[in-house]
Amino acid sequence: MYVRWWLLLIPPFVISFTLVAASQFVFLESSFFKDLGLGRIGDEFVLDNYVQFVTDSFFLRALWVTIKTSGLAALFTLILGFPVAYMIARMRSQWAMILLAGIVISTFITIVIKVYGLIVIFSANGMFNQALLGSGLASRPFSIFGNTSGVVIGLMHFTLGFGVLLLYSIVQTIPKSLEDAAQIHGAKRWRVYYRVIFPLALPGITAMLLMVFNMCMGAFTSAALLGGGRVFTLPVLIQRTVMMDIKYSLGATIAAVLLVSVIAINILSIFLVRRMRAAHLVMV
Amino acid sequence: MSGVVLKGVTKKYGPITALRTMDLRIEEGEFITLLGPSGCGQTTTLRLIAGFIDPTSGQILLGEDDITDLPPRKREIGMVFQDYALFPHLTIKENVAFPLRERKSDPSKIDQRVSELLDLVRLPGVESRYPSELSGGQAQRIAVARAVAYPPRVLLMDEPLGALDLKLRETMQIELRRIQQELRITTVFVTHDQTEAMTMSDRIVVMNDGRIEQIGTAEEIYDHPVNAFVADFVGRINLFDGVLVGRDQDQSVVEIFGGVRVKVAGSPSEEEKKLCIGIRPENLELLPSDVGATQANVINGTVVGRTFSGNLVDFYVEVGNNQPVLVEVPAARRSFEVGDKVQIVWGAEAGVVLGAD
């Protein structure tokens, strides 16, 4: 007899959908009603909250800071993660599996513990600053608290493991024989990267950059802990608006803007990469 | 173009020896094949010449130049890979032009050169296609065109025909040989297919377990194998362990299966009492058991198996040995059935004496 096992999927689907989509809908819908403060919401359909967002330079700057820190974190995750992923993917000993396992495990450590690790290392008299001042390279300690560099470092700390794993799987799809072929036919090492590895990895790199960027756009903990109340990214702002100012519909508006900008940037990036590929700009 | 010389080259991976001391001189313009079972060290040898791996000891010369420590790109070598290794994101034109661009050829002459090369491999007009749009045989031709684009001093080929079906393989064997002779390029070819090795090569290097067993032309290796491994690997052969029991003019009398005496041309040195004789299945003949045989050697047996392959029929004849004797008979003369009593006959000159090992 044919058993319709998929019917079993319906209850969990309904529960998940209700919890995620319905609550999101209710929350985001409130952004279209006037915020009366102290958690009260008007019943007239208006765009006041959105007008407030786009006319207040504070909100616009927060949007820009969020995009900037997320973009930088994604870029540096690529720059730091690619060599690591490449080495592991090309290793032929069992060390590759051990290193990969280490990265997976470190990815599962909660960001709170990771950030406290950063605080220990980067505090005014921590290891990093003692080495920096001791070597005479700088005369003042380098601080990662309350500035965007700190937030970028914190975000990267959160995404680097994912980034390496994604890049690893991308490099693995590029046969080693293509590198051999490029080398034996005269390509210098950097030319092998430029003409073979990079173009072949490009679709995967784009996906990895977008995933890391999206993770960062929504990241609250590292931004809140390292921003120290001075760097406001949109997730931090949503938390403050909802929890401290008790302005629900304004908080919902910020969330809606965040959501729309993430979707818009993703679509735009995919479109741009398609255009580049079609024009063979990155192929020669 | 130049010859290649390997001087005492060895390669070890930790405790594992991939290549024992290897001395080999490949002449200028020669087509040489490294033949052996997979993992016997032929691919290691090829990758050492290419420079993808460094020898543990020894020296590699290209012409007069010591290239042992040069990186691959400075060796001026062309290579055809087992999986072709065409760049999937580049057009055929850019694939073929890859060595030209990387080796800084005059850009204004690249188009001209690419179309010459596509003519050479008989695939003109595919410049703007991508590798994924080609069949296996076409991809093979493009891989060859790329390998010889910037005229290399040596062409290396690593089992290039492995992925093709039989018909295409035979066509490509002839094609590769034609291209090699047209360019008069020194070529090192790796394969585990003995037919491929024999049809294409000037000389064959039979390898086993990281060392060279025999070097020679196809005829030399087939007719005069130096040991049982070579005899068995190149073509098919019946091997009989035996003991030298006497001489008869320039023939040796050897006792096999503990009683049957057979004659073999040539005389091994006195000390070699135990030896092995090999007889190719096509050099044996079958006669009905009631016919008087005039040949030097006769063994009685029973047909236990028969396989038909079109032009030939293989008979497996039980002779009281632990392994049936294989006799290859032209299909026109297949007048025996399983269960028939037969005589296997052959002349003394049909057998070769191989050292026992």
Side-chain angles (χ1 to χ4, degrees):
Chain A
M1 195 188 94
Y2 179 70
V3 185
R4 279 170 233 167
W5 289 108
W6 60 267
L7 289 174
L8 286 176
L9 292 174
I10 291 178
F13 176 77
V14 170
I15 295 170
S16 311
F17 187 80
T18 317
L19 289 178
V20 177
S23 65
Q24 284 292 303
F25 178 77
V26 171
F27 180 58
L28 292 179
E29 192 203 14
S30 68
S31 68
F32 293 105
F33 297 93
K34 199 170 173 65
D35 198 318
L36 304 171
L38 295 172
R40 287 171 303 138
I41 295 168
D43 48 11
E44 197 185 343
F45 188 92
V46 286
L47 289 173
D48 286 15
N49 295 314
Y50 289 94
V51 173
Q52 191 187 346
F53 190 102
V54 296
T55 51
D56 189 335
S57 66
F58 175 74
F59 289 119
L60 291 176
R61 202 179 308 119
L63 175 63
W64 167 238
V65 166
T66 315
I67 294 172
K68 187 177 77 173
T69 52
S70 301
L72 284 173
L75 193 65
F76 283 114
T77 299
L78 173 66
I79 292 168
L80 283 186
F82 193 84
V84 178
Y86 181 83
M87 287 303 293
I88 296 176
R90 289 290 185 246
M91 261 185 195
R92 307 189 80 192
S93 68
Q94 64 263 47
W95 273 102
M97 277 303 122
I98 296 171
L99 289 172
L100 213 54
I103 289 165
V104 172
I105 292 167
S106 77
T107 308
F108 286 121
I109 296 173
T110 164
I111 184 66
V112 178
I113 291 175
K114 284 189 184 175
V115 166
Y116 279 113
L118 281 183
I119 291 172
V120 171
I121 294 169
F122 284 99
S123 65
N125 50 8
M127 285 185 269
F128 180 79
N129 277 314
Q130 278 184 356
L132 192 71
L133 297 177
S135 67
L137 286 172
S139 55
R140 279 186 302 148
F142 169 78
S143 175
I144 60 164
F145 307 111
N147 58 41
T148 45
S149 333
V151 172
V152 171
I153 291 173
L155 289 174
M156 277 171 62
H157 208 18
F158 170 50
T159 57
L160 203 51
F162 292 105
V164 171
L165 288 178
L166 285 168
L167 292 169
Y168 167 82
S169 61
I170 295 160
V171 175
Q172 276 218 315
T173 62
I174 303 172
K176 179 73 166 53
S177 62
L178 294 184
E179 284 178 49
D180 287 346
Q183 273 184 292
I184 195 88
H185 295 124
K188 294 191 179 78
R189 195 66 229 176
W190 75 267
R191 294 282 296 174
V192 177
Y193 281 105
Y194 176 69
R195 290 200 67 189
V196 179
I197 299 172
F198 176 67
L200 286 175
L202 188 70
I205 286 176
T206 315
M208 172 266 164
L209 283 174
L210 285 179
M211 278 181 80
V212 168
F213 178 80
N214 296 345
M215 281 167 77
C216 291
M217 287 293 280
F220 169 73
T221 318
S222 35
L225 290 178
L226 288 162
R230 266 180 283 173
V231 180
F232 294 111
T233 62
L234 292 187
V236 174
L237 219 52
I238 294 168
Q239 187 261 354
R240 290 174 70 99
T241 311
V242 174
M243 307 298 280
M244 293 164 78
D245 302 345
I246 324 183
K247 290 181 175 169
Y248 289 159
S249 58
L250 185 58
T253 308
I254 304 173
V257 171
L258 178 60
L259 191 66
V260 170
S261 3
V262 166
I263 292 170
I265 289 170
N266 278 268
I267 291 173
L268 191 69
S269 309
I270 292 167
F271 177 74
L272 277 178
V273 171
R274 285 250 173 91
R275 281 288 296 272
M276 280 163 79
R277 282 168 67 82
H280 291 275
L281 279 178
V282 288
M283 293 303 171
V284 178
Chain B
M1 207 181 309
S2 336
V4 180
V5 181
L6 301 177
K7 278 190 190 164
V9 174
T10 63
K11 180 65 190 174
K12 289 182 180 145
Y13 291 102
I16 300 155
T17 303
L19 199 65
R20 294 162 208 276
T21 317
M22 174 118 171
D23 288 291
L24 180 63
R25 171 178 287 276
I26 300 162
E27 304 298 335
E28 195 170 320
E30 185 179 28
F31 193 120
I32 203 161
T33 297
L34 307 179
L35 174 69
S38 300
C40 72
Q42 340 115 301
T43 297
T44 305
T45 310
L46 205 69
R47 295 182 69 83
L48 281 166
I49 299 173
F52 297 139
I53 48 178
D54 296 321
T56 309
S57 62
Q59 221 184 1
I60 302 169
L61 305 181
L62 190 58
E64 301 293 307
D65 313 319
D66 185 342
I67 58 163
T68 318
D69 299 318
L70 282 185
R73 69 183 169 86
K74 291 192 176 159
R75 296 191 178 198
E76 296 170 54
I77 284 174
M79 185 159 174
V80 178
F81 291 79
Q82 197 169 3
D83 59 357
Y84 316 137
L86 296 178
F87 305 119
H89 57 299
L90 299 180
T91 59
I92 299 309
K93 181 188 153 194
E94 282 307 320
N95 265 283
V96 175
F98 190 93
L100 302 172
R101 293 208 196 282
E102 294 305 317
R103 297 199 192 280
K104 309 268 185 296
S105 289
D106 180 355
S108 65
K109 291 185 180 143
I110 284 179
D111 285 7
Q112 164 83 31
R113 177 77 183 135
V114 168
S115 86
E116 270 171 37
L117 286 157
L118 293 181
D119 285 342
L120 173 75
V121 299
R122 297 191 174 154
L123 210 57
V126 295
E127 280 93 340
S128 58
R129 290 204 220 160
Y130 282 88
S132 59
E133 298 169 302
L134 299 183
S135 70
Q138 291 175 323
Q140 177 70 75
R141 287 166 194 262
I142 298 305
V144 173
R146 181 181 64 179
V148 300
Y150 191 95
R153 299 175 72 180
V154 174
L155 176 62
L156 306 178
M157 297 200 235
D158 186 9
E159 300 207 22
L161 306 180
L164 303 179
D165 62 60
L166 186 64
K167 274 262 181 289
L168 204 50
R169 271 175 101 115
E170 285 170 354
T171 317
M172 283 311 295
Q173 285 169 12
I174 297 162
E175 277 294 282
L176 289 181
R177 185 63 172 155
R178 175 186 64 79
I179 293 166
Q180 187 264 338
Q181 293 196 321
E182 218 162 285
L183 301 173
R184 306 197 161 282
I185 193 169
T186 314
T187 302
V188 188
F189 188 91
V190 161
T191 184
H192 57 253
D193 182 322
Q194 41 121 350
T195 324
E196 206 165 279
M198 299 215 283
T199 50
M200 299 174 77
S201 327
D202 292 317
R203 282 194 303 159
I204 297 172
V205 179
V206 184
M207 294 183 69
N208 183 35
D209 196 20
R211 66 172 172 261
I212 296 176
E213 298 280 358
Q214 188 172 1
I215 304 177
T217 62
E219 280 94 345
E220 281 165 12
I221 285 173
Y222 192 80
D223 293 337
H224 307 288
V226 293
N227 58 31
F229 174 82
V230 175
D232 196 30
F233 194 80
V234 180
R236 301 189 299 174
I237 200 160
N238 293 294
L239 295 171
F240 306 120
D241 288 324
V243 183
L244 183 66
V245 292
R247 305 273 164 114
D248 184 359
Q249 286 150 19
D250 58 345
Q251 296 179 351
S252 307
V253 180
V254 179
E255 200 172 276
I256 57 172
F257 325 144
V260 184
R261 293 193 169 192
V262 297
K263 288 174 186 164
V264 188
S267 49
S269 62
E270 207 62 59
E271 305 87 76
E272 285 184 272
K273 282 290 181 204
K274 289 187 73 169
L275 42 76
C276 176
I277 60 174
I279 308 155
R280 299 271 177 208
E282 70 272 22
N283 292 335
L284 295 173
E285 233 181 294
L286 285 187
L287 293 175
S289 58
D290 53 357
V291 172
T294 55
Q295 283 84 349
N297 300 302
V298 179
I299 306 179
N300 291 305
T302 310
V303 176
V304 293
R306 191 190 124 121
T307 54
F308 175 71
S309 61
N311 54 339
L312 298 167
V313 181
D314 291 342
F315 286 101
Y316 296 88
V317 183
E318 186 64 59
V319 292
N321 193 10
N322 49 4
Q323 215 183 336
V325 176
L326 175 63
V327 184
E328 189 181 286
V329 176
R333 288 196 273 131
R334 53 174 185 217
S335 47
F336 299 98
E337 295 300 329
V338 172
D340 287 358
K341 299 275 183 219
V342 292
Q343 302 178 84
I344 305 172
V345 299
W346 73 95
E349 68 292 339
V352 285
V353 178
L354 306 162
D357 55 3

